[in-house]
Every structure is written in C-alpha cells, then in structure tokens.
Amino acid sequence: MAHAQELGAGVRDVTTVSGIEKTKSSHWMIEIGQERIEARILVGADGRNSTVARLRNLLPRPARERVALQTHIPLPHNFGNRVVLQFLSEGYSGQAPVNDRELNLCLVGVPASISSLRRWAEQNFGITADHPWRTITPLTRAALPPAHENLFLIGDASRVVEPFTGEGIYYALRSGELAAHAIAKIVRGEDRQSALREFSCAHAAMYRGRLWINQIARAAVLSPRFASLVLQTARFQPSILRLLTGKIVPGSKM
Ligand SMILES: Cc1cc2nc3c(=O)[nH]c(=O)nc-3n(C[C@H](O)[C@H](O)[C@H](O)COP(=O)(O)OP(=O)(O)OC[C@H]3O[C@@H](n4cnc5c(N)ncnc54)[C@H](O)[C@@H]3O)c2cc1C
C-alpha cells in the first residue's frame, strides 16, 4: 500500500464502501461515507463477505455448516517456531506464532461444537472466559467469477480457500497481481476481452488441483475420527502425507 501511495494512489483508511453504481459512461460511482469517487475499473478485494459482490448481487447464499474462531494470545513458553494443526473430536485447531510474543490461535468446527472447542482452548492455553475472539463465517462458499467487464474480484472475494491449507494470503496477493497486469493492459488500450480472458485463465490455473484438498480438509472437520485414522495410517505410509503436502506446496519435501 505504501508503494501504491508513492506512485500516486489515494488511500482512504478506516472508511467503508457502502454503495456502488454504474454511471452512464459505464464507469463506477463508489460511495465511501459522504464521499463519491468515480472509477473506470473497480477491484473488489474485500474478503469472503465482499460488499462489492453483495452490492452487485453476485454473492451466493452463505453456508453456515462450519464456523471459525480466531484470536491472539501470549506465546506459550517453549512453543517454538512451528505451526500446529491439531485434530480434536469437535473440529480442529491451528496454532502459529505471529511474532516472538503472540500466538495466533484458530478453532474450526460446526456451530454446535464451537463453544466446547472454545472451552478446550481456554483450558489448554489458560485463556479467560471473557477473552475476545473473532468469529469467521462462512468458512467456504461457492467461487465467483473473478472478472466482470470493468469489475475484478480478487482474494477471498472471488474464492475462499479452506483455512486448513493456510495459504489464502498467497492467493489474495497473487490474484491481485494478476488483476493488476490485466488492468494495466486495459488502461493502455489493449483488447479488453483478451485481457479479461487471460486473467480468468491464470486465476483458474492458480487454484487447479487444490480443490480436492479443500474437500479433504472439510471432511476432516466434519469427521475428525476419519481424519485421525488417515493420519495414523500416514505414519506407516508417509507417501500419503507427501502427496498431500506436494499438492499444496509444490516442490516440498517431507
Ligand atoms: C480461521 C482462519 C485461519 C486462516 N489462516 C491462514 C493462514 O495461516 N495463512 C494464510 O495464508 N491464510 C489463512 N487464512 C485465510 C486468509 O485469512 C484469507 O484467505 C486472506 O486474508 C484473504 O485476503 P483478502 O485480502 O482477500 O481478504 P481479507 O483479508 O478478508 O481483507 C478484506 C479487507 O476488506 C475490508 N472490507 C470489507 N468490506 C469493506 C467495505 N465495505 N469497505 C471497506 N473495506 C472493507 C476488510 O475490513 C478487510 O480489511 C485463514 C482463514 C481463516 C478463516
């Protein structure tokens, strides 16, 4: 963002986009509080519950089969620099240090089990009952096409990735980069339709081969016993884990 500002981008911090309209010249009129900004191209980078997609009637009905809780707590002594993904009978927990003082703690489960997952976390990490947690929902939803004439949806706004695979930030950044290339072409006067097609193809290619990992992760939450069985088997057959890891992190070695 600092780099974009250096190049002349205007930043409106701590403001909310509340309305968007198409103008007669097919530009966008974007409402931000009292201010209205006209734009030739709009990029919705506003997350899984994208306001831009909602205002354009693109957002699918949310599925609330699973929810997540997330918080930062003091980094437990001796936690070390590792990432923990822990299967529990009610769902799963992800734990990773944010810095040398704090731990990012996530809990994922079905709505009926989320309170007992929270109690598990309170007991295991010495968290008080009044500690603030952030609720995240929906955890997954149908993907939206990322390119619509002069509207781009990037990151979670277009496609939400299962948090278990922990790589949503990469997709958000990379899809932003792909959109920027396409927009640069359009602004330079190159053929709009071929720039949009190229962007959509590169966007789809980025996710190819990962969707079944999402399904496995989803099954792991809905049926933790099955997930534990697979992991126990993987102890004796490490090729299973190698295969799954290789799908998420190409070129990785376990
Ligand atoms: C429990 C959980 C754990 C995860 N763990 C990881 C992990 O370890 N590693 C990883 O890579 N990914 C992880 N992810 C996924 C990751 O958080 C997302 O994929 C990523 O943040 C998507 O980035 P984004 O920029 O598309 O959306 P977001 O990060 O959601 O950003 C959207 C932004 O838009 C703003 N916004 C929304 N509406 C408006 C509006 N109307 N006006 C103005 N601003 C608005 C929001 O305030 C927000 O700042 C996890 C997700 C979950 C649910």
Side-chain angles (χ1 to χ4, degrees):
M1 191 168 74
H3 185 54
Q5 268 178 300
E6 278 164 25
L7 296 175
V11 174
R12 307 286 187 281
D13 220 352
V14 202
T15 47
T16 303
V17 171
S18 49
I20 45 173
E21 271 170 39
K22 267 253 170 91
T23 65
K24 281 192 188 126
S25 48
S26 281
H27 286 187
W28 295 104
M29 191 55 78
I30 304 159
E31 214 178 285
I32 309 170
Q34 299 301 315
E35 195 180 7
R36 285 162 77 81
I37 296 177
E38 190 171 343
R40 276 173 67 185
I41 296 175
L42 174 61
V43 180
D46 48 355
R48 63 190 61 223
N49 293 306
S50 170
T51 305
V52 170
R54 184 169 47 77
L55 291 171
R56 297 307 297 163
N57 287 326
L58 298 169
L59 212 58
R61 260 171 68 98
R64 302 210 188 276
E65 64 167 359
R66 290 176 302 151
V67 288
L69 293 181
Q70 179 267 334
T71 194
H72 285 177
I73 57 168
L75 186 66
H77 187 57
N78 289 340
F79 189 88
N81 188 18
R82 62 194 176 120
V83 173
V84 174
L85 289 168
Q86 196 168 353
F87 284 118
L88 304 159
S89 53
E90 304 93 345
Y92 70 84
S93 165
Q95 302 137 34
V98 187
N99 48 42
D100 56 3
R101 287 168 288 106
E102 287 171 299
L103 181 78
N104 184 40
L105 173 61
C106 290
L107 307 170
V108 178
V110 292
S113 69
I114 206 74
S115 315
S116 61
L117 271 171
R118 188 174 155 162
R119 278 194 298 278
W120 170 87
E122 285 167 0
Q123 278 164 13
N124 278 271
F125 293 92
I127 302 170
T128 56
D130 59 354
H131 181 86
W133 290 81
R134 197 174 142 228
T135 311
I136 302 158
T137 183
L139 228 53
T140 48
R141 64 157 162 79
L144 299 179
H148 312 248
E149 283 301 313
N150 52 356
L151 167 65
F152 289 78
L153 296 175
I154 61 168
D156 278 9
S158 164
R159 183 169 263 181
V160 177
V161 185
E162 174 65 43
F164 192 79
T165 58
E167 55 179 345
I169 295 168
Y170 166 77
Y171 289 123
L173 292 172
R174 179 69 186 137
S175 60
E177 202 172 32
L178 293 173
H181 288 306
I183 292 165
K185 283 184 181 173
I186 294 168
V187 170
R188 278 200 302 263
E190 292 180 34
D191 182 58
R192 174 187 295 268
Q193 292 311 325
S194 74
L196 292 176
R197 251 194 324 273
E198 222 173 88
F199 166 68
S200 297
C201 288
H203 188 271
M206 185 171 71
Y207 291 94
R208 202 162 290 140
R210 316 280 173 105
L211 295 181
W212 61 276
I213 295 275
N214 266 1
Q215 294 299 332
I216 291 178
R218 183 172 161 273
V221 176
L222 297 176
S223 174
R225 270 199 202 130
F226 166 74
S228 300
L229 199 71
V230 171
L231 281 182
Q232 272 163 23
T233 315
R235 277 193 189 168
F236 305 103
Q237 289 287 338
S239 55
I240 299 175
L241 273 186
R242 227 173 276 136
L243 175 79
L244 293 176
T245 312
K247 281 282 169 196
I248 298 170
V249 191
S252 66
K253 292 194 171 68
M254 272 197 69

